[in-house]
């Protein structure tokens, strides 16, 4: 029925995924830190999670950005922003997918990223260095943090990810999809937005729901 469809759509529009650090339901968080503050009106992350998202080796996932040497700040800010979007956004419902890993029951898959957000991420990370295409799996975790697996060579992002689409789509096993939609089009999720103008991703989630 139309009513059932409407209800199903509503349930996708303001929701937190069932994952490691997410709140069960979104709500205001006055104290969100740094780049995560964009979501303080309505967030799936706690203030503590937002603080940890900015640490080089946070307890969130013990993940080390600097696995091939120090990641440049202008690059790292995109990874912080990506973490904030993932942890804080209540607008990712249409792309939540069931997964069965030890640390989460749900993940995001094929979130349509705005072209500029993806291109800028790629531009700013050209000279960062990594040894892996997919950062979700295949690391050596014996020391408690991710190290490059045996035989993996550290090289610049521009060789590991020849295009912006390669970076956005492959780095987190297709959590994101590169699109040709522009910021403000209402057809793509923005990692970056001006909270004074409101959250543009609310309308995007509604469109895809």
């Amino acid at each position: 029925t139309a009513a059932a469809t409407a209800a199903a759509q509503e349930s996708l529009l303001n929701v937190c995924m069932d994952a490691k650090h997410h709140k069960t339901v979104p709500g205001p968080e006055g104290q969100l830190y740094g780049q995560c503050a964009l979501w303080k009106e309505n967030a799936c992350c706690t203030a503590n999670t937002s603080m940890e998202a900015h640490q080089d080796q946070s307890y969130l996932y013990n993940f080390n950005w600097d696995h091939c040497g120090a990641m440049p700040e202008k690059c790292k800010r995109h990874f912080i922003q990506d973490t904030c979007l993932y942890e804080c956004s209540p607008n990712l419902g249409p792309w939540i997918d069931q997964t069965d890993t030890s640390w989460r029951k749900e993940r995001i898959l094929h979130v349509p990223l705005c072209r500029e957000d993806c291109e800028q991420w790629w531009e700013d990370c050209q000279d960062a260095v990594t040894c892996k295409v997919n950062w979700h799996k295949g690391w050596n975790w014996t020391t408690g943090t991710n190290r490059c697996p045996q035989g993996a060579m550290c090289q610049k992002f521009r060789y590991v990810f020849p295009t912006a689409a390669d970076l956005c789509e492959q780095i987190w096993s297709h959590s994101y999809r590169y699109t040709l939609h522009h910021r403000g089009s209402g057809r793509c999720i923005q990692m970056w937005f001006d909270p004074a103008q409101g959250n543009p991703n609310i309308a995007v989630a509604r469109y895809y729901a």
Side-chain angles (χ1 to χ4, degrees):
T1 65
T5 312
Q9 282 178 332
E10 279 308 310
S11 71
L12 293 177
L13 292 181
N14 188 33
V15 66
C16 297
M17 73 189 100
D18 181 358
K20 194 171 179 184
H21 301 290
H22 289 68
K23 301 188 324 195
T24 37
V25 284
E29 284 289 332
Q31 299 302 305
L32 291 189
Y33 180 76
Q35 292 175 217
C36 293
L38 275 55
W39 287 274
K40 66 182 199 292
E41 299 295 316
N42 192 29
C44 285
C45 60
T46 60
N48 203 15
T49 297
S50 72
M51 185 80 81
E52 286 293 325
H54 292 71
Q55 307 303 322
D56 270 356
Q57 195 131 11
S58 83
Y59 81 83
L60 293 179
Y61 305 101
N62 291 321
F63 196 89
N64 178 20
W65 307 122
D66 304 329
H67 49 266
C68 280
M71 179 183 278
E73 286 308 316
K74 70 175 181 177
C75 174
K76 192 170 289 174
R77 69 190 189 100
H78 293 278
F79 283 95
I80 292 170
Q81 197 67 8
D82 155 57
T83 304
C84 289
L85 176 72
Y86 171 79
E87 300 290 349
C88 306
S89 175
N91 314 120
L92 299 174
W95 303 280
I96 290 177
D97 198 52
Q98 303 308 305
T99 178
D100 216 4
T101 48
S102 56
W103 53 283
R104 59 178 181 181
K105 294 276 174 276
E106 293 181 329
R107 58 163 294 189
I108 46 173
L109 192 62
H110 303 313
V111 172
L113 259 203
C114 293
R115 179 179 187 163
E116 293 86 345
D117 289 50
C118 187
E119 303 265 350
Q120 199 58 57
W121 187 357
W122 183 71
E123 275 304 312
D124 288 345
C125 290
Q126 292 281 300
D127 292 323
V129 182
T130 186
C131 54
K132 282 183 59 34
V133 171
N134 184 342
W135 289 14
H136 265 150
K137 47 181 195 258
W139 296 100
N140 169 355
W141 286 95
T142 51
T143 56
T145 183
N146 55 305
R147 301 211 340 256
C148 292
Q150 190 84 43
M153 193 171 79
C154 286
Q155 40 185 353
K156 290 193 174 185
F157 269 44
R158 67 167 73 105
Y159 304 116
V160 179
F161 305 107
T163 67
D166 291 331
L167 169 64
C168 296
E169 297 183 343
Q170 295 173 3
I171 197 160
W172 300 124
S173 43
H174 298 281
S175 294
Y176 295 121
R177 182 165 63 81
Y178 174 80
T179 73
L180 296 175
H181 295 300
H182 290 290
R183 300 166 58 89
S185 65
R187 299 288 178 267
C188 56
I189 291 289
Q190 294 182 204
M191 272 198 335
W192 302 85
F193 58 87
D194 174 4
Q197 310 284 314
N199 176 348
N201 297 333
I202 297 171
V204 178
R206 178 162 291 124
Y207 174 77
Y208 285 99

